[in-house]
């Protein structure tokens, strides 16, 4: 990956400077620099969507210019960015192609390249019969055709793995496997119980915490996660699996250790998610306050 830049000083442009690498790995300024860079693309997509009326029906916040508003408090949006993943939305193939053209224009401007092999098109239609009969549109970027995914194929969306039909079993499987790996990691550990507990809650419960408020978990699934967690806490104290689980489930007021369990994490994350949603005057706030 290479990029060039020229500095304009006193209305005179300097010699072209070539960068052979991106931001410094591990530098504390790297995330800020990346956010500044990628925000330009997100703003281009948003403005194009406002001017061309391209969105998926949802709205957020107030238009900074006061134009193109569908109601008093909101404007439509067509993109969401999480770390280095971007999802783009449109309600028609023509609108999606216009947004792909924006991405192509941005990459040509900054010198970056899009990995088309990791870019997928997902068509969602509530009409099952029409969805099965209608072929996916042919959309292109940089002269290459985007691959169309089936609704039953698992893909990663905003760091969560799932299917277009809202089946999130792929993410749940990732959560289970990582909790099992964290449980087995501390099976014969030389750490103090406090450090071993911190290690498991970070590596094992951390992945559950990330997706807890975004995915619907059944009671039986939460019980399965709790069972794995209790097994891990027994490993922390070098106790056999036959040890009573109540020691790690009961609160400290009942002589238990009050260990971090999935139901508590889920409750915390749902409350934090709701708190984040009411911070801004948008559709999410209106829905929560109306409920």
């Amino acid at each position: 990956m290479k990029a060039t830049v020229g500095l304009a000083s006193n209305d005179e442009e300097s010699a072209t400077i070539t960068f052979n690498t991106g931001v410094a790995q591990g530098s504390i300024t790297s995330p800020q620099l990346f956010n500044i860079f990628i925000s330009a693309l997100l703003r281009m997509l948003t403005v194009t969507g406002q001017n061309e009326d391209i969105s998926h029906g949802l709205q957020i916040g107030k238009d900074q210019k006061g134009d193109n508003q569908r109601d008093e408090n909101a404007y439509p949006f067509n993109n969401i960015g999480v770390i280095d993943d971007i999802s783009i939305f449109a309600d028609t193939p023509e609108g999606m192609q216009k947004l792909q053209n924006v991405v192509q224009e941005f990459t040509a401007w900054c010198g970056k390249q899009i990995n088309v092999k990791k870019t997928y098109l997902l068509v969602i239609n509530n009409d099952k019969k029409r969805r099965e009969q209608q072929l996916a549109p042919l959309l292109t970027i940089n002269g290459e055709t985007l691959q169309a995914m089936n609704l039953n194929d698992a893909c990663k969306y905003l760091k969560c793995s799932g299917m277009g039909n809202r089946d999130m079993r792929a993410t749940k499987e990732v959560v289970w496997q990582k909790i099992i790996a964290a449980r087995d990691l501390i099976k014969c550990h030389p750490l103090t119980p406090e450090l071993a507990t911190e290690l498991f809650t970070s590596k094992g419960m951390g992945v559950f915490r990330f997706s807890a408020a975004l995915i619907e978990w059944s009671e039986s699934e939460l019980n399965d996660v709790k069972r794995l967690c209790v097994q891990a806490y027994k490993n922390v104290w070098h106790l056999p699996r036959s040890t009573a689980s109540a020691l790690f489930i009961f609160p400290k007021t009942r002589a238990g250790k009050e260990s971090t369990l999935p139901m508590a994490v889920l409750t915390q994350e749902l409350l934090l998610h709701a708190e984040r949603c009411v911070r801004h005057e948008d559709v999410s706030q209106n829905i929560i306050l109306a409920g």
Side-chain angles (χ1 to χ4, degrees), residues 120 122 149 153-157 160-164 170:
Y120 295 94
L122 181 61
M149 294 195 65
D153 293 335
C155 62
K156 183 172 287 188
Y157 170 67
C160 292
S161 298
M163 302 178 185

Side-chain angles (χ1 to χ4, degrees), residues 40-240:
L41 172 59
L42 301 182
R43 288 177 180 271
M44 289 174 65
L45 290 168
T46 299
V47 170
T48 300
Q50 289 178 316
N51 293 337
E52 302 286 345
D53 196 25
I54 304 172
S55 73
H56 51 65
L58 294 180
Q59 304 178 36
I60 187 171
K62 293 184 178 180
D63 191 335
Q64 295 176 350
K65 296 182 179 179
D67 301 323
N68 300 319
Q69 294 189 27
R70 294 184 179 179
D71 60 44
E72 182 180 356
N73 297 316
Y75 71 90
F77 71 100
N78 54 34
N79 62 85
I80 297 178
V82 175
I83 309 178
D84 59 347
D85 285 348
I86 298 178
S87 295
I88 303 175
F89 311 97
D91 50 3
T92 65
E94 295 77 16
M96 180 59 74
Q97 185 59 64
K98 289 181 180 179
L99 297 180
Q100 296 305 310
N101 295 340
V102 170
V103 176
Q104 181 172 321
E105 178 184 352
F106 179 80
T107 57
W109 167 75
C110 68
K112 300 284 185 180
Q113 296 297 321
I114 291 292
N115 189 344
V116 181
K117 294 182 179 180
K118 297 177 65 176
T119 305
Y120 295 94
L121 170 67
L122 181 61
V123 180
I124 299 177
N125 194 319
N126 290 330
D127 189 331
K128 183 178 180 180
K129 184 177 180 180
R130 181 182 177 185
R131 185 174 67 233
E132 293 175 347
Q133 295 176 347
Q134 189 177 32
L135 296 177
L138 295 178
L139 303 180
T140 62
I141 184 169
N142 294 331
E144 297 186 57
T145 302
L146 295 182
Q147 302 177 68
M149 294 195 65
N150 189 288
L151 281 181
N152 296 321
D153 293 335
C155 62
K156 183 172 287 188
Y157 170 67
L158 301 181
K159 299 300 180 181
C160 292
S161 298
M163 302 178 185
N165 56 10
R166 295 180 293 182
D167 186 335
M168 303 302 291
R169 283 179 293 180
T171 290
K172 293 177 182 179
E173 183 63 27
V174 171
V175 171
W176 283 322
Q177 292 303 322
K178 287 188 177 294
I179 290 178
I180 290 174
R183 177 201 66 184
D184 295 342
L185 177 66
I186 58 174
K187 185 175 293 184
C188 300
H189 68 87
L191 306 173
T192 64
E194 293 76 16
L195 286 177
T197 299
E198 185 176 343
L199 177 62
F200 172 74
T201 54
S202 174
K203 295 184 68 66
M205 297 305 293
V207 66
F208 174 75
R209 185 180 296 277
F210 178 80
S211 58
L214 306 176
I215 296 176
E216 183 177 353
W217 291 84
S218 68
E219 184 177 356
S220 62
E221 290 171 335
L222 288 173
N223 285 333
D224 288 340
V225 176
K226 182 175 73 172
R227 176 177 52 82
L228 294 175
C229 293
V230 171
Q231 292 175 1
Y233 293 130
K234 292 178 182 179
N235 288 344
V236 165
W237 292 90
H238 302 290
L239 297 174

